Amino acid sequence: MRPAADLDVPLALERASPVPLHVQLAAALRSAALDGLLPPGSRMPPTRVLAARLGVARSTVLAAYEQLDGEGFLEGRHGSGTFLSASLAAAGVPPRPSGRGPGDAPRPLPGVVDLRPGRPSTRRLADPAWTRAWRAAVAEVPDVEGPPEGLPELREEIAAHLRAARGLDARAEDVLVTAGTGEALSLLAHALDLPGRPVVVEDPGYPAARAVLTRHRGELVGVPVDDDGLVVDALPRGGPAPALVFVTPSHQYPLGGRLPLQRRLALLRWAQERGTVVVEDDYDGEFRFDVAPLPALAGLDRGGRVVYVGTFSKVLTPWLRMGYVVVPPALGAAVRSVRGDLGTPVSALDQRALARYLAAGSLRRHIARSRRDYAHVRARLERLLAPHPRLRLRGLEAGLHAVVDLPAGADAAAVLARVADGGVLLADLAAYALDPAAPGHGPAVVLGYGSATLGELERAVGLLLAAVGERAAPAPVSRSGGAP
């Protein structure tokens, strides 16, 4: 098989682009594979050769190859080099990530178990329904470019999904397809003319959302959260009206609380009185355990104040990097104007594939299967920590992560370092606060169990117990280490 260096593959990189070079390179190679320009089994050029050809650092090519290796596009053969995976021929068209990176944190080193929050399991995703959707999408050659709001068929399917799954009276004309929560917030920031205006965020809360709002020069106003979510009584009553309030009511990020109905209604009254837009981030609302669903803020809204933000990163894969925003009519024209000026960053191919996946009912079935898997892992986590009352477990009613409160006086950073020495990554709750050094909720770690196998979960809990000096032996590690 001739090497990729001899193939006529377009690999132009835009050095002025804000997209990192290694992400651009991975996207170009991925597209070449999907388009058939690189046949399965093709030998890839050595990293030094390709780096010299493109005029980039070898580390750029290494990073791109590592990303594609993690996605299953490439495979290394000892003593022979790197090849485009031969399994692609049998699998048809594989899932096509967007090339914008795996999330908020860098890819861990081989052998390290990353149980920081935000990572769902993708073990059930590579099924015939997923492959059929991508094959059908690639087979179509559109005559015209899709609208900047997103393909109409995908917007229709998203609206139908929200009506069935979240009880929202969603209309396709109010839906915009986005490249995730960050891009949705950026659209809103432009539409609301954010610079210099106060914006309310949960504290602790979602760091990536704060970063987007700060980049748009919003003035962050932190409001405390408790075990039930945002403390609505602490919202600012005087001074300039905030442009928006960013909340995660279905599963507060990161504490895990579910905002009670009374607080939801009080938040909407406050927003109406102050003329503030409520941004409802329902990032993993599909996953609830042992509790009845609470109505979305957007479903309770009668004043047109709520912008509903959703993502497919948690229900499918972060590599897709696709989400959506449901905008009330009063804001619709302004948001669509911004999107028309900036254009859409979401590939029409990705949109077509996802539209077919939803239309076939495959997303609904995938969520149902995944919910059963997650419930099993969640129950195992509860059993592992139940004999250890010094470690309080909370935030398990919904979502794919939990908070583990450490014993009073524990040094969370030191605990995390000891756990990391054992090859497991967890997150420090303090990192989610506006001021990580300020007194907060006490020492605690955030554990994402969405992507964990039972063996990995038991290993993580065992390391955590040892790090805080618990005498009880951890549960035995599953021999298979496989998925539940």
Side-chain angles (χ1 to χ4, degrees), residues 413-423 463 466-469:
V415 169
L416 288 171
R418 290 191 63 186
V419 173
D421 286 343
L463 289 168
V468 298

Side-chain angles (χ1 to χ4, degrees), residues 148-196:
E149 297 90 349
L151 296 183
E153 58 266 38
L154 178 56
R155 293 159 64 200
E156 288 282 0
E157 292 299 335
I158 290 172
H161 169 71
L162 293 176
R163 289 193 294 268
R166 300 296 287 129
L168 297 185
D169 185 19
R171 305 179 306 167
E173 55 263 38
D174 298 326
V175 175
L176 280 79
V177 179
T178 70
T181 301
E183 204 251 333
L185 270 179
S186 186
L187 285 174
L188 291 170
H190 283 295
L192 294 171
D193 194 18
L194 198 60

